Amino acid sequence: LRAFAYFELVRYFGTAPLHLTVVANRLEAAAALATTEQLYAQVEKDAKEAASLLPPKSAQEPGRVTSGSAKTLLGDLYLWQKRWADSETVLKEVVNSGEYSLMLEYDKVFSNTSDNKNNAESVFEVQYMEGASGYNGSIIYNFLPRPITKTELAGITQTSNPQDLSGEGNNIPTPDIIAAYESGDERKDASIAYITLSQSLRANKVYPYIKKFAKPHAVHGNTGNNWPVYRYAEVLLLLAEAINEQNRPGEADDYLNMVRNRAGLLNTSASSQGDMREAIFKERRVELAFENKRWFDIVRTGRIQEIIVPHGAKIKANPLDYYFPDGAVPPNNAFTVLDPYYGLPADESALTPSF
């Protein structure tokens, strides 16, 4: 878990205080900032140790991390570092372990609010439990387009006490991701659905929403479906990438095609290393859509300017296509700061001399 936490921190911020022992109070938490390389080294050390100490999934209590979880994290780290052979080695251990398999149908991959958790495809997922115990989540409520009336919401959540939601939804599928699915890709209908919002300030009141996390539950705002961090499908795509970057596209396509075939698609037509690289990049976009992977993929492949700049220009030129209310436009400074890392948190900066 420490390896995972620092892997998140280094990817979001590039640097962070590196604590390896528990501190007694807030003042002792003011540590010097570690470099990216120091954080990567600690993630590798922790993940390796965890992989050797943790049991496999079949011998572990459901929901807890496993040797496969640690090895997948390690393989992901090596991919970020462009250590392709190391990534291939550890990810093949996950594949050859026999502990994981793809679910037969994509819409069965994601947990419901009370069942289908930690299924055959799950490598690591954050656990939630619906009810009054305090372990519940509210994933879909953060993502839904708004404003949405309780009647409209009830059709999605099927709760007994739906409530009107105002404000702004933070993860509405864009026209770009919708268009990214190939014809016949079963993941599209499993991932995205549509709803008409009667109170919308747009002439076209039809909005897409993320269907694969919209699971029926009993009480408003109280969900129990888990959040996927690593799935076996991603292990296969990571492995395909690691192999292809060693200029073996004919072997990489075996793992890519397993993911494509499950989605109802034919084998990839990519054969060269460059074409295979792009095919894997595109496959990750639709297979892992809305699972918080896309930004990291763009950053680690050095494609921020190539992808985000024209994306921002499209939004500025056609705000209605991106669900802005009629007459509203993005601010002038939108898409002008495109750094690979977030700035360090101001609240933390005020509490430590190290920032």
Side-chain angles (χ1 to χ4, degrees):
L1 292 177
R2 184 170 70 187
F4 174 70
Y6 274 116
F7 192 40
E8 290 281 275
L9 283 171
V10 70
R11 291 187 296 172
Y12 277 118
F13 297 104
T15 183
L18 180 56
H19 286 285
L20 302 179
T21 57
V22 177
V23 297
N25 54 64
R26 182 63 184 83
L27 292 177
E28 293 181 17
L33 292 170
T35 65
T36 299
E37 291 70 26
Q38 287 172 324
L39 293 173
Y40 279 153
Q42 188 62 46
V43 172
E44 180 179 8
K45 181 177 184 296
D46 282 346
K48 280 183 172 180
E49 186 173 357
S52 68
L53 293 173
L54 285 165
K57 183 177 181 178
S58 58
Q60 177 63 295
E61 181 182 350
R64 294 189 179 275
V65 288
T66 65
S67 58
S69 307
K71 289 177 180 180
T72 300
L73 171 60
L74 190 58
D76 197 2
L77 168 69
Y78 288 151
L79 217 67
W80 272 78
Q81 297 177 305
K82 303 187 187 308
R83 295 166 59 180
W84 313 119
D86 290 335
S87 183
E88 177 189 358
T89 297
V90 71
L91 291 171
K92 276 190 172 178
E93 291 178 9
V94 179
V95 170
N96 295 333
S97 70
E99 295 285 333
Y100 307 97
S101 62
L102 295 176
M103 300 291 283
L104 294 179
E105 300 175 18
Y106 186 77
D107 63 355
K108 300 295 192 297
V109 170
F110 307 97
S111 90
N112 298 317
T113 199
S114 60
D115 62 354
N116 194 38
K117 297 169 182 278
N118 310 300
N119 58 44
E121 189 164 331
S122 172
V123 178
F124 178 30
E125 58 188 56
V126 180
Q127 310 293 305
Y128 289 99
M129 183 166 63
E130 184 179 10
S133 60
Y135 301 119
N136 60 285
S138 59
I139 293 171
I140 191 59
Y141 291 88
N142 301 323
F143 290 172
L144 287 172
R146 305 182 182 194
I148 184 171
T149 68
K150 60 184 180 182
T151 301
E152 294 159 354
L153 181 62
I156 297 175
T157 62
Q158 300 180 33
T159 58
S160 59
N161 65 331
Q163 300 172 27
D164 297 340
L165 295 178
S166 59
E168 184 178 5
N170 295 317
N171 204 347
I172 303 169
T174 64
D176 307 79
I177 180 60
I178 295 171
Y181 292 91
E182 298 174 41
S183 177
D185 192 331
E186 297 171 1
R187 293 171 294 197
K188 183 176 182 179
D189 287 342
S191 300
I192 300 170
Y194 294 85
I195 187 170
T196 299
L197 302 185
S198 60
Q199 296 181 347
S200 171
L201 299 178
R202 293 163 39 86
N204 180 0
K205 300 179 184 297
V206 178
Y207 289 76
Y209 69 90
I210 302 171
K211 179 182 177 182
K212 70 186 191 181
F213 298 136
K215 305 298 184 179
H217 48 282
V219 179
H220 177 85
N222 189 312
T223 63
N225 45 311
N226 291 351
W227 177 261
V229 176
Y230 285 120
R231 299 191 282 112
Y232 186 57
E234 185 174 11
V235 174
L236 297 173
L237 292 175
L238 291 170
L239 179 55
E241 185 172 344
I243 292 172
N244 185 62
E245 292 302 329
Q246 298 174 78
N247 202 20
R248 288 150 46 209
E251 184 181 343
D253 69 358
D254 293 341
Y255 301 102
L256 172 60
N257 288 332
M258 291 173 66
V259 177
R260 289 180 57 82
N261 295 163
R262 194 267 298 273
L265 299 175
L266 299 176
N267 290 349
T268 180
S269 60
S271 57
S272 69
Q273 184 187 35
D275 288 346
M276 184 62 68
R277 181 182 294 126
E278 189 65 19
I280 295 169
F281 186 73
K282 290 180 177 179
E283 200 68 32
R284 285 182 60 86
R285 184 181 190 184
V286 290
E287 173 66 32
L288 305 171
F290 319 118
E291 296 177 44
N292 293 351
K293 305 287 183 176
R294 176 68 171 171
W295 171 248
F296 288 149
D297 285 351
I298 292 172
V299 171
R300 71 180 175 82
T301 56
R303 301 178 70 169
I304 296 176
Q305 293 296 318
E306 172 194 341
I307 292 175
I308 302 300
V309 170
H311 177 67
K314 287 171 64 176
I315 294 176
K316 288 182 175 182
N318 303 285
L320 281 177
D321 290 348
Y322 292 86
Y323 320 119
F324 279 72
D326 290 348
V329 296
N332 290 332
N333 64 347
F335 299 98
T336 58
V337 178
L338 297 175
D339 296 332
Y341 299 117
Y342 283 109
L344 294 172
D347 287 349
E348 292 292 319
S349 179
L351 294 170
T352 173
S354 300
F355 282 23

